[in-house]
Amino acid sequence: AMSATGGRSPKIYSTQESGAPYRWTLGDGSTIAGIEQAILGDADGGGIPPMLPGGIRRLVIPADLGYIAMSAANAKCAEGGKDGAVGPIPPKEGGAYERFTNLYCNPRIPYQPDLVLDIKLYGKRTAP
């Protein structure tokens, strides 16, 4: 589930409800830094161990590890991380995309609320 610490309705989107999990390749630059750091663990010895397949975590991601670059004028804020935008970004149907862009892709808002995500790490899938 994707939620924000600000706004009137904090829940933004849930891949569990849509039946389409968010997928990317670790280290390819297609997802926000806060998710990658939570999965890989804290390299500076801050006490955050790497996630193991099947692990579940609740993340509270500050703006500097989230979407702060998307609030700049002319930033790419494309659905589902398309066109080089960094994900996860909700799909346009259902109102989640509009709530997301109002909070995280709006150059008129002087700050961004923290992003709250519940994630489960599945690991690499192989063909049966």
Side-chain angles (χ1 to χ4, degrees), residues 76-117:
K76 288 186 177 186
C77 194
E79 170 191 6
K82 296 175 185 172
D83 299 324
V86 177
I89 297 175
K92 288 190 177 180
E93 66 272 354
Y97 181 77
E98 184 177 319
R99 286 191 302 277
F100 175 84
T101 56
N102 284 338
L103 287 171
Y104 296 103
C105 302
N106 191 342
R108 295 186 310 259
I109 296 178
Y111 71 94
Q112 287 185 354
D114 293 340
L115 182 66
V116 180
L117 296 169

Side-chain angles (χ1 to χ4, degrees), residues 7-18:
R8 283 181 258 159
S9 65
K11 183 176 176 184
I12 297 173
Y13 180 67
S14 171
T15 58
Q16 186 175 17
E17 291 171 5
S18 71

